[in-house]
Amino acid sequence: MEEGAESDNTNLNGIDESTRLNDEGANAPSMEGEAVANGEPDLESNGLQQPLLKRNRTLSASHLAMVGAKVSHIESLDYEINENDLFKQDWRSRSKVQVLQYVFLKWKLAFLIGLLTGLIATLINLAVENIAGYKLLLVSDYVLEKRYFMGLITLTGANFLLTLMATLLVVFFAPTAAGPGIPEIKAYLNGIDTPNMYGAPTLFVKIIGSIGAVSAGLDLGKEGPLVHIGACIASLLGQGGTEKHRVKWRWYRIMNNDRDRRDLITCGASAGVCAAFRSPVGGVLFALEEVATWWRSALLWRTFFSTAVVVVVLRAFIEYCSSGKCGLFGNGGLIMFDVSNVTVTYRMMDIVPIALIGLIGGALGSLYNYALHKVLRLYSLINERGKLAKILLSLTVSVFTSVCLYGLPFLVGCTKCDPSLSSSECSTTGRTGNYKRFNCPNGYYNDLASLLFSTNDDAVRNIFSTNTQGEFHPLSLIIYFILYCILGLFTFGIAVPSGLFLPIILMGSAYGRLLGIAMGSYTKIDRGLYAVLGAASLMAGSMRMTVSLCVIFLELTNNLLLLPVTMLVLLIAKSVGDCFNLSIYEIILELKGLPFLDANPEPWMRNITVGDLADVKPPLVTLRGIEKVSRIVDFLRNTTHNGFPVIDDNVTVRDNEGTTATELHGLILRAHLVAVLKKKWFLAQPRKTEEWEVREKFTWDELAERDINFEQVAITKHEMDMYVDLHPFTNKTPYTVVEDMSAAKAMVLFRQVALRHLLVVPKYQGAGVSYIML
């Protein structure tokens, strides 16, 4: 009940802040709570006994919110087009060539996002496969020589140093690089700013840290970090570089706004998923289904273009490295499980085990989410003790992981190789292959070592392998499943870049293959395909994705015959998981305190109207069309509002001469007020300015920028008595709703149109009635 209530509060919080014309978030004074404490009417009571207004005021700037990092203030993003006089004049004055330049720039940036993401993904895979590969080869030689203790020291020491490198980079240089970064991207594309998430230090630490953490054999993947890396690349390209070193070309500055930056980050997230799985369509659908809450056809084309570029880059490097020019990268890395040559046959009776896989995946996925939630709360207590505690926690997990990976294969016996296999296929001593010799004599293999003593990509390839009915024994699969459940829970949340995709895939494939063994001759489906379905079911049960996961697995397996059974498994797993708790990314969003608007409003929201919210909010702040400088400075200094309604009194009605009325001229943003004060565009007498006066002083691209700080503006005492004409900067077409609209309907409008402000106007106009309620 508590989790659901907090989610409800977050939903309404978005409407609440929008109707108030601000994004107070963490900065807001707690007037609502004081009103209730003073005995004022409690509007939180409703038919379903759900709290109405309860604010979560802080968010963490990093994955370590749950593990004791500092917090930052929440701020929303301006996705709405601000249709003021300057904007209209700017677009009217642009020639066709300038419009084409703007469109071409978007496509060029989409191309660069795909190119750079593909190159960085290749770099990460080259580094991981070579570092981890040579490490495993060295340890394998010690095991074959029966120098077991030396092998343990070598493996543990190498993993210790790699983990230490990744942790130190994260803790001291870029705390925001910890974790997958997907929850923060999801919040950003929902309209919530996540500070310091897309800077150059974060990108650098994410790349180097991912190489170190994955090479160290930790139970995490590079897929989540690749999504964050793609988003960082997109953000840096969109804003022209870092904050200190930024391109100031005028034609480039037109992209420096929240709306275009959001589109670029969406392309970056899609490119990251594509780089992780070589799944271009799956990457686009992942952004559409999981992270983005606002979409349009032009964005669809550009994200698809970015993922296509990524695939071309990856394919080119794979072809180049296939001849052995890239060290140990030739057969490893870039998960690709091609079963296009496998005939997938199933009968109606196979629906029973397939449905059972979905049920198990949904139940285990929700259980995994619940356990991870508790572990992350435990980690918060540990890491609140400081940086040293975070480092020690990461190193402890590393040592425990190394000991388990090295020691557990000794618990299972050796298996004699199938006589039909050649000596090069069975009992291998290299880092790849299904039949690892490890501590066994020649002609025998250790099936558990084939899974544990390899990189995660090779482990996936081994456990997914088809036509290997008796390769893995049930005991080995049980040990493997239990181990990776434990490691998955205790590895995610430490101060290193980490992803959830690979651990969940490995856990799901283990119980999927176990179920395939249990079915025996009852089913004709290959046990390797059972592993694929098990991985898909656990991912759906934990992450609650369906369409994108289905396409990703189809692109991984390259076999459309798996489509019906994969769809069935995903639908069952997601339905079962939804009965218990939220998806893993929504749980992390809640832990971080990031407000997130769900796609569907809660039923109790239909019991209240947006007009009811007026009684629990502070008084509305409005400005006049021609306003005194001192009054503007006072409002900027004493409020955290991001938008202010602009009201004009005694305006002559256009179609009725002699009749005057109060006019809602529109909405002006805080950033535009600061820009006016910074340029000191003041008038000695209150008057309306001419269009040419404004265009001489301001340009639209200047007003689109957000990096304007009010604290840096100095106003003299003489200037305080001067005036400003706000009409040219006011958005004349803000979104408005009538006070009788239900909070549920207003929330749907607010989310689907990607708004930051929503004006609430009274149903009746007259003397003594405020023109705007919220």
Side-chain angles (χ1 to χ4, degrees):
M1 288 299 293
E2 291 181 1
E3 291 180 1
E6 290 176 7
S7 176
D8 295 344
N9 298 330
T10 300
N11 287 345
L12 190 53
N13 222 5
I15 294 292
D16 196 22
E17 291 178 8
S18 69
T19 54
R20 242 180 109 183
L21 312 172
N22 65 30
D23 63 322
E24 296 167 307
N27 256 342
S30 55
M31 295 184 180
E32 306 96 309
E34 293 173 5
V36 174
N38 291 334
E40 296 183 5
D42 182 9
L43 296 181
E44 297 186 0
S45 302
N46 56 72
L48 297 181
Q49 298 300 314
Q50 292 283 356
L52 175 60
L53 294 172
K54 179 181 176 184
R55 191 180 298 273
N56 192 351
R57 298 185 179 279
T58 57
L59 68 89
S60 83
S62 74
H63 171 73
L64 300 181
M66 58 195 78
V67 287
K70 294 181 180 180
V71 295
S72 301
H73 295 307
I74 297 173
E75 185 174 351
S76 302
L77 299 167
D78 293 306
Y79 289 155
E80 182 185 356
I81 295 177
N82 197 0
E83 294 183 342
N84 54 28
D85 291 341
L86 280 172
F87 172 81
K88 293 177 181 178
Q89 179 61 34
D90 177 71
W91 278 99
R92 289 194 196 103
S93 62
R94 287 189 183 183
S95 63
K96 290 184 178 180
V97 174
Q98 290 175 316
V99 174
L100 287 175
Q101 285 178 341
Y102 176 63
V103 175
F104 176 73
L105 178 60
K106 287 186 174 182
W107 284 95
K108 183 174 73 172
L109 291 176
F111 170 79
L112 291 175
I113 290 169
L115 177 64
L116 293 176
T117 304
L119 291 173
I120 290 176
T122 304
L123 170 66
I124 292 175
N125 280 278
L126 283 171
V128 168
E129 293 299 314
N130 281 282
I131 294 173
Y134 284 114
K135 176 190 68 178
L136 294 175
L137 286 176
L138 178 61
V139 177
S140 297
D141 291 339
Y142 285 129
V143 174
L144 289 176
E145 297 171 4
K146 299 189 183 302
R147 300 171 62 185
Y148 299 128
F149 183 73
M150 189 63 187
L152 174 62
I153 294 299
T154 302
L155 181 67
T156 305
N159 292 344
F160 184 92
L161 293 177
L162 290 169
T163 305
L164 179 63
M165 176 193 70
T167 304
L168 290 177
L169 286 173
V170 168
V171 171
F172 290 102
F173 294 100
T176 53
I182 294 178
E184 289 86 352
I185 296 173
K186 187 172 182 177
Y188 183 91
L189 297 180
N190 190 254
I192 300 299
D193 193 13
T194 47
N196 306 319
M197 281 300 298
Y198 309 107
T202 301
L203 175 62
F204 173 77
V205 173
K206 202 80 174 184
I207 296 171
I208 305 302
S210 294
I211 293 173
V214 177
S215 300
L218 296 174
D219 186 18
L220 47 84
K222 55 185 177 293
E223 291 72 26
L226 276 173
V227 178
H228 192 187
I229 288 170
C232 289
I233 293 172
S235 177
L236 291 172
L237 286 174
Q239 66 187 14
T242 63
E243 292 185 1
K244 294 183 179 179
H245 307 284
R246 182 177 299 181
V247 174
K248 294 294 184 179
W249 301 327
R250 187 180 185 281
W251 61 270
Y252 204 91
R253 289 172 65 185
I254 60 177
M255 299 294 296
N256 193 18
N257 60 80
D258 290 340
R259 184 182 180 89
D260 287 325
R261 191 176 178 218
R262 172 195 60 189
D263 291 352
L264 291 175
I265 289 179
T266 304
C267 292
S270 301
V273 174
C274 177
F277 296 104
R278 286 172 57 194
S279 174
V281 180
V284 175
L285 292 176
F286 174 83
L288 174 62
E289 180 182 10
E290 180 62 18
V291 294
T293 56
W294 189 86
W295 204 265
R296 67 182 190 278
S297 58
L299 182 59
L300 178 68
W301 280 103
R302 281 196 293 275
T303 54
F304 186 66
F305 177 61
S306 295
T307 57
V309 173
V310 172
V311 169
V312 171
V313 172
L314 295 179
R315 191 66 196 176
F317 274 94
I318 289 174
E319 292 292 335
Y320 176 78
C321 294
S322 60
S323 58
K325 299 177 181 178
C326 302
L328 300 177
F329 179 71
N331 297 318
L334 290 176
I335 296 174
M336 189 65 181
F337 174 60
D338 193 343
V339 293
S340 55
N341 58 344
V342 178
T343 302
V344 181
T345 58
Y346 40 84
R347 304 166 298 177
M348 285 300 297
M349 293 302 295
D350 290 326
I351 298 297
V352 176
I354 290 172
L356 183 60
I357 289 178
L359 289 171
I360 296 174
L364 287 180
S366 59
L367 180 61
Y368 181 80
N369 291 357
Y370 174 81
L372 187 60
H373 183 225
K374 299 301 181 184
V375 171
L376 292 176
R377 288 191 177 277
L378 173 64
Y379 277 8
S380 68
L381 300 176
I382 297 174
N383 289 302
E384 282 175 356
R385 298 182 179 275
K387 295 179 179 180
L388 180 61
K390 298 172 188 176
I391 296 171
L392 292 177
L393 178 61
S394 298
L395 296 179
T396 302
V397 172
S398 175
V399 172
F400 176 73
T401 301
S402 300
V403 172
C404 291
L405 295 180
Y406 184 83
L408 288 178
F410 289 97
L411 299 180
V412 300
C414 297
T415 304
K416 186 175 178 57
C417 292
D418 192 320
S420 63
L421 297 175
S422 64
S423 58
S424 61
E425 293 178 311
C426 184
S427 194
T428 61
T429 57
R431 67 184 186 88
T432 61
N434 285 56
Y435 304 93
K436 290 285 183 65
R437 181 179 171 184
F438 198 62
N439 61 327
C440 298
N442 196 17
Y444 290 80
Y445 70 94
N446 188 315
D447 60 338
L448 186 55
S450 300
L451 298 176
L452 294 180
F453 216 66
S454 59
T455 62
N456 285 341
D457 290 6
D458 289 327
V460 171
R461 214 171 274 110
N462 293 344
I463 200 168
F464 279 5
S465 59
T466 56
N467 300 319
T468 53
Q469 302 298 328
E471 176 185 353
F472 299 104
H473 296 90
L475 177 61
S476 298
L477 290 174
I478 292 173
I479 294 174
Y480 184 76
F481 174 73
I482 295 174
L483 173 65
Y484 266 75
C485 285
I486 296 173
L487 293 180
L489 290 174
F490 288 101
T491 304
F492 188 79
I494 63 176
V496 296
S498 59
L500 281 168
F501 282 93
L502 249 298
I504 292 177
I505 287 177
L506 292 172
M507 285 186 286
S509 59
Y511 79 73
R513 195 160 189 119
L514 272 171
L515 185 59
I517 294 174
M519 291 295 104
S521 59
Y522 174 80
T523 178
K524 292 185 178 181
I525 301 178
D526 191 278
R527 292 175 184 176
L529 300 182
Y530 266 106
V532 174
L533 295 177
S537 68
L538 190 60
M539 289 187 72
S542 177
M543 299 181 179
R544 312 293 158 78
M545 296 185 293
T546 52
V547 179
S548 56
L549 273 183
C550 184
V551 174
I552 287 173
F553 273 93
L554 288 180
E555 290 182 299
L556 279 177
T557 58
N558 198 23
N559 196 327
L560 283 175
L561 295 176
L562 281 173
L563 178 62
V565 292
T566 305
M567 292 174 63
L568 180 62
V569 164
L570 292 174
L571 288 171
I572 294 176
K574 182 184 185 303
S575 300
V576 172
D578 285 338
C579 295
F580 295 100
N581 51 26
L582 301 173
S583 72
I584 185 62
Y585 292 132
E586 289 177 335
I587 289 175
I588 296 173
L589 281 171
E590 181 184 319
L591 286 170
K592 289 176 174 291
L594 289 166
F596 185 81
L597 288 178
D598 293 329
N600 301 309
E602 298 294 333
W604 58 268
M605 289 185 180
R606 302 195 180 277
N607 297 340
I608 60 174
T609 66
V610 290
D612 294 333
L613 303 178
D615 295 332
V616 291
K617 305 306 294 181
L620 185 67
V621 175
T622 60
L623 297 172
R624 292 185 292 271
I626 300 176
E627 189 60 81
K628 203 169 184 179
V629 174
S630 59
R631 194 162 183 260
I632 296 175
V633 171
D634 182 58
F635 286 155
L636 292 178
R637 183 175 294 156
N638 297 315
T639 70
T640 58
H641 297 9
N642 177 71
F644 301 86
V646 177
I647 304 295
D648 281 335
D649 297 321
N650 301 320
V651 177
T652 302
V653 179
R654 183 180 305 171
D655 299 328
N656 193 350
E657 293 292 338
T659 303
T660 59
T662 300
E663 177 192 22
L664 170 60
H665 191 74
L667 184 77
I668 189 168
L669 298 181
R670 183 186 190 89
H672 293 175
L673 292 174
V674 176
V676 169
L677 297 180
K678 186 176 182 180
K679 286 206 171 186
K680 299 185 181 297
W681 195 66
F682 304 146
L683 304 171
Q685 299 297 326
R687 65 176 179 87
K688 280 194 174 184
T689 54
E690 299 294 334
E691 186 177 288
W692 61 268
E693 295 181 85
V694 184
R695 285 192 282 111
E696 274 189 348
K697 195 74 171 179
F698 297 92
T699 60
W700 166 251
D701 52 356
E702 288 178 332
L703 296 180
E705 297 181 355
R706 302 178 66 242
D707 53 349
I708 302 176
N709 189 357
F710 171 66
E711 302 300 329
Q712 299 175 353
V713 179
I715 306 295
T716 66
K717 185 176 181 181
H718 172 70
E719 291 170 339
M720 286 287 191
D721 295 327
M722 301 181 77
Y723 297 88
V724 176
D725 181 13
L726 301 180
H727 294 98
F729 311 96
T730 302
N731 179 11
K732 296 180 179 180
T733 57
Y735 283 88
T736 60
V737 296
V738 182
E739 60 176 318
D740 286 345
M741 179 180 286
S742 69
K745 190 174 182 179
M747 196 207 82
V748 171
L749 170 66
F750 185 78
R751 188 181 190 273
Q752 291 184 350
V753 188
L755 299 178
R756 184 176 186 176
H757 311 99
L758 190 62
L759 299 181
V760 177
V761 298
K763 188 174 182 180
Y764 302 101
Q765 296 292 332
V769 178
S770 174
Y771 198 83
I772 302 177
M773 298 181 63
L774 290 172

